[in-house]
Amino acid sequence: MSRFVYADNAATTPVSQAVIDAMAPCFASAWGNPSSLHSKGREAKKLMDDARERIAKVFGCESGEIYFTSCGSESDNWAIKGAALRGKKKGRTHIVTTVIEHPAVLNTCRALEREGFEVSYIGVDADGVVDLAALEAAITEKTAVVAVMYANNEIGTIQPIEKICEMAHAKGALMFTDAVQAFGNVEIDLSKLPVDMLAMSGHKIHAPKGIGMLFVRKGTVLSNLIDGGGQEKRHRAGTENLPYIVGLAKAVEIAHEGLKDMPRVTAMRDRLIEALTAIPYSRLNGHRTKRLPGNVNVGFECIEGESMLLLLDMKGICASTGSACSSASLEPSHVLLAIGVPHEKAHGSIRLSISRETTDEDVDYIIETLTPIVARLREMSPLWEEIVKNSNK
Ligand SMILES: *Cc1c(COP(=O)(O)O)cnc(C)c1O
């Protein structure tokens, strides 16, 4: 193996050394319970309060609006179930979301349907941008919450969240966005973006797996998902994961500073997109420009994405077919189907998610490795033989 290139940052990211260093004292010495009144507890409480304040500062909100959770999935569940159960008390038993959400949102909505809630799943156009007219028409006085992801994890398309906020608020509904992929890649300022709730996850921004955050705007009331002790202002029970909370604060600060590198990441992304879509019978999945700086998702006809992944892996390149969550199943990606990729072509796509750690040499290596792999796999494909024959007629 000549080189190792990690291009699967949308699945997870390595924990950065600065985050490990920030967490270390919480294991070695500051191991107290933040709820304890003695000195060891107060030491822990101070670290937790400090972490919350630093995160709030980056997001442009108040520290009292930041709630720590165990992951992005928990934040998604809490925001939607909490808003739905609360809304039900006022006769709001309807939820609006999109067909391309992460499973943590889609399956939460399906669970609520089984409990009697009605859910509208709004479609997207060929670039993955949500159909705003259909969305606006779906929101009614019965809608408790509108849940639309900030940016898609498979195809990277960024949604017009501000406009969607206006539509939700015009009907008195709450607006929730899953910003797990967006934070650290695009500027998010909650003093300007009028969402009521926003979810984020640690392991997508170089903090450990198992820590997440939900922003809940002051005045917004959600039902609890986890009942128990009085942690997180009585809204999310469980002794706080202090080391990871401190790590998350460090990761949030680093990610925010890292926004200045996004033009460089975008340039690498565009170079990859240009080179890979120059291969015949390929297509870019997702919007050309309204897309995450590090996301490349390209489909190749007559190829199995899994075969491509295995051959890339043998060359030291980590990529994905789109979604880590659905890679264990043989079902094609719900996101690719939603943007109109035909069933038989949805299997031939590959997602490369690069980061600030990616170099120009990595990009060169991906291009010079992937291009012959596509050619080699096509040579073995009877479908490809057909295409070549027909194009020679
Ligand atoms: C990864 C991801 C999640 C889930 O976050 P976890 O911390 O892994 O539970 C939710 N939404 C999106 C868009 C994601 O990419």
Side-chain angles (χ1 to χ4, degrees):
M1 198 183 288
S2 50
R3 206 181 168 96
F4 177 76
V5 177
Y6 186 73
D8 200 13
N9 288 278
T12 198
T13 57
V15 180
S16 66
Q17 188 57 48
V19 169
I20 295 173
D21 293 344
M23 292 191 300
C26 302
F27 294 110
S29 55
W31 40 259
N33 184 328
S35 298
S36 298
L37 295 177
H38 48 63
S39 60
K40 214 63 198 155
R42 290 199 306 274
E43 176 188 34
K45 174 85 162 49
K46 192 175 171 311
L47 284 170
M48 186 173 73
D49 290 348
D50 175 61
R52 207 186 301 273
E53 255 160 47
R54 284 157 52 208
I55 293 173
K57 192 165 171 230
V58 167
F59 276 93
C61 66
E62 292 177 22
S63 61
E65 296 173 313
I66 300 286
Y67 295 85
F68 295 116
T69 65
S70 68
C71 59
S73 299
E74 184 192 326
S75 299
D76 285 346
N77 269 262
W78 183 14
I80 298 169
K81 287 177 181 164
L85 293 179
R86 189 76 194 180
K88 194 178 171 188
K89 294 183 181 155
K90 299 181 197 146
R92 290 181 180 260
T93 54
H94 176 230
I95 297 155
V96 175
T97 189
T98 81
V99 293
I100 61 162
E101 298 296 308
H102 188 274
V105 168
L106 283 179
N107 288 331
T108 294
C109 289
R110 288 185 191 123
L112 286 167
E113 277 186 283
R114 292 194 289 274
E115 300 297 322
F117 287 88
E118 195 196 325
V119 182
S120 301
Y121 298 91
I122 308 301
V124 296
D125 67 14
D127 291 327
V129 179
V130 62
D131 180 344
L132 285 179
L135 186 96
E136 185 163 37
I139 306 170
T140 71
E141 312 284 336
K142 295 212 104 187
T143 307
V145 57
V146 176
V148 178
M149 70 199 323
Y150 202 117
N152 185 268
N153 46 304
E154 293 188 37
I155 57 173
T157 302
I158 296 170
Q159 304 296 343
I161 295 298
E162 267 195 75
K163 265 189 217 145
I164 299 170
C165 281
E166 278 172 32
M167 292 174 180
H169 291 158
K171 296 281 165 60
L174 292 175
M175 174 67 198
F176 165 62
T177 190
D178 172 340
V180 172
Q181 291 291 335
F183 179 72
N185 289 305
V186 295
E187 173 82 43
I188 295 179
D189 181 353
L190 291 169
S191 73
K192 297 201 181 90
L193 186 72
V195 292
D196 301 292
M197 298 159 290
L198 177 140
M200 198 230 349
S201 172
H203 76 100
K204 306 287 174 75
I205 59 160
H206 303 276
K209 294 149 195 64
I211 183 76
M213 176 208 101
L214 183 68
F215 158 82
V216 183
R217 196 173 292 281
K218 202 160 69 180
T220 304
V221 187
L222 302 179
S223 292
N224 291 354
L225 190 67
I226 299 181
D227 291 304
Q231 293 89 357
E232 301 297 287
K233 295 193 289 175
R234 301 189 173 281
H235 290 307
R236 199 281 185 183
T239 302
E240 299 89 346
N241 186 348
L242 185 67
Y244 284 23
I245 288 171
V246 168
L248 184 69
K250 190 71 188 172
V252 162
E253 287 175 340
I254 295 173
H256 189 67
E257 284 165 26
L259 286 176
K260 66 177 185 312
D261 289 340
M262 286 307 134
R264 182 176 65 82
V265 178
T266 303
M268 289 192 290
R269 173 198 78 185
D270 290 345
R271 205 152 68 79
L272 274 170
I273 288 175
E274 258 154 53
L276 299 184
T277 54
I279 296 173
Y281 294 94
S282 65
R283 66 161 263 169
L284 176 69
N285 296 315
H287 199 280
R288 181 63 189 81
T289 53
K290 285 180 216 157
R291 111 183 260 130
L292 289 172
N295 176 287
V296 177
N297 189 318
V298 178
F300 301 98
E301 284 190 38
C302 307
I303 281 186
E304 287 291 334
E306 281 74 18
S307 318
M308 240 185 313
L309 281 194
L310 291 177
L311 294 178
L312 281 173
D313 193 31
M314 286 167 66
K315 297 281 185 185
I317 299 172
C318 300
S320 142
T321 48
S323 158
C325 319
S326 59
S327 58
S329 75
L330 289 172
E331 281 294 300
S333 147
H334 69 287
V335 176
L336 295 182
L337 294 180
I339 60 172
V341 178
H343 215 278
E344 71 278 8
K345 288 185 187 171
H347 282 296
S349 291
I350 190 165
R351 177 188 71 188
L352 299 155
S353 41
I354 59 172
S355 77
R356 293 198 290 139
E357 291 174 0
T358 310
T359 63
D360 276 316
E361 289 72 37
D362 292 338
V363 171
D364 292 338
Y365 182 63
I366 293 172
I367 295 169
E368 73 201 30
T369 308
L370 184 52
T371 309
I373 284 177
V374 170
R376 187 175 144 200
L377 288 172
R378 278 176 172 170
E379 270 168 31
M380 304 188 296
S381 157
L383 291 168
W384 181 247
E385 219 172 285
E386 282 293 300
I387 287 188
V388 174
K389 226 190 292 167
N390 289 338
S391 68
N392 285 342
K393 267 181 195 159

